[in-house]
Amino acid sequence: MSGPAGAAARIAVVGSCNMDIVAFAPHLPAPGETVTGQRLLQVPGGKGANQAVAAARAGGDVVMIGAVGDDAFGGLVRASLQEAGVNVSGLRVGPQPTGTAHITVDSAGSNTIVVIPGANAAVVDLTDADRDAIGNSDVLLLQLELPQAVVTAAAAVAHRAGTTVLLTPAPVRPLPAELLALIDLLVPNEHEASQLTGRADAQDALDSLLAQVPAVVVTLGAAGCSYRRRAGAPIRVGAPAVPVVDTTAAGDTFTGALAVALAEGKTVPGALRWATSAAGLSVQHEGAATSMPRREQIDAFAQGLESAVGAGR
Ligand code: RIB
């Protein structure tokens, strides 16, 4: 999976770009309830753009393929990607407005999200340049906020080229066999894993998903993550205990960092620990792209955790 020695991990992302409109409230509203919130925040998000920013800040050489609208939100999302060092040559400007995500965050940092796809829905095919970018990458990151046909087309290009395909199955929906056959590593959270399999227990869900894809990592929030390869032993990584402000995009931060770590040739346990450290840093800050750590911050935090574990032995 890794490119030339010493070169940055090459990551392609085919995914969504949104503006996140975030209401911070004491608790998430129940159906029919009106809650008075404390603050409103507007920050760049979208699972695709988030993973691109996370991977770039983690040290990857990242290209983003997606779409924004010809509007102020689109300009802000583009600027956020560029500021992180993401190559935006694959970012189309569609006639529809930029996608938006309407997020409520409660006092424990948990959230609910409603996404209006906007321009994301217009990404229906790949250009020759997109195919080249995917084929020249070590890892392709996919999620399910673009039309399924283009997600499958991108996975097929990667599969043919030997580019490793990671899929975040969110927003969760049944995955067709045609797409599953192209996935190297599925990265659901525990809720998505349960919804995909009908198994309430995350470990049972993970084992069941292994019948469909060769490797799975289930993110478990404050409990870390659980990984397994077909015919391999399970690997469990705990999460650091940190003050949680906002969990939005913690999974995207984990996935972006994981892609970089795997492409750089870190061992799977090492890559999982590093990605978990990145997510542990992101939950301590508000917003999506605004919360993602830089490589040196991840290194320092991961190192501190290793030392603490070593001192506790
Ligand atoms: O994964 C978090 C993201 O989901 C948010 O940034 C929001 O835009 C939605 O796509």
Side-chain angles (χ1 to χ4, degrees), residues 49-147:
N50 290 345
Q51 293 185 5
V53 169
R57 292 211 183 127
D61 179 0
V62 183
V63 58
M64 174 77 206
I65 296 161
V68 293
D70 184 13
D71 50 27
F73 284 169
L76 291 168
V77 174
R78 176 186 294 273
S80 161
L81 288 161
Q82 286 175 312
E83 194 266 335
V86 175
N87 176 342
V88 292
S89 57
L91 197 62
R92 297 104 161 107
V93 178
Q96 298 88 344
T98 299
T100 49
H102 303 263
I103 304 179
T104 308
V105 178
D106 70 12
S107 56
S110 299
N111 64 38
T112 57
I113 306 180
V114 175
V115 172
I116 308 294
N120 295 303
V123 184
V124 290
D125 49 22
L126 298 171
T127 65
D128 288 344
D130 297 337
R131 289 188 198 92
D132 287 347
I134 294 167
N136 289 328
S137 294
D138 303 309
V139 177
L140 170 67
L141 294 177
L142 296 169
Q143 322 75 34
L144 298 176
E145 286 187 332
L146 294 187

Side-chain angles (χ1 to χ4, degrees), residues 158-205:
H159 189 72
R160 273 197 301 275
T163 299
T164 300
V165 181
L166 268 65
L167 174 69
T168 300
V172 71
R173 58 174 181 248
L175 299 172
E178 185 195 1
L179 176 58
L180 283 165
L182 303 166
I183 304 306
D184 295 296
L185 176 60
L186 191 69
V187 193
N189 65 25
E190 54 197 315
H191 308 292
E192 291 150 3
S194 291
Q195 284 176 271
L196 285 170
T197 60
R199 309 281 180 96
D201 178 76
Q203 197 59 46
D204 289 349

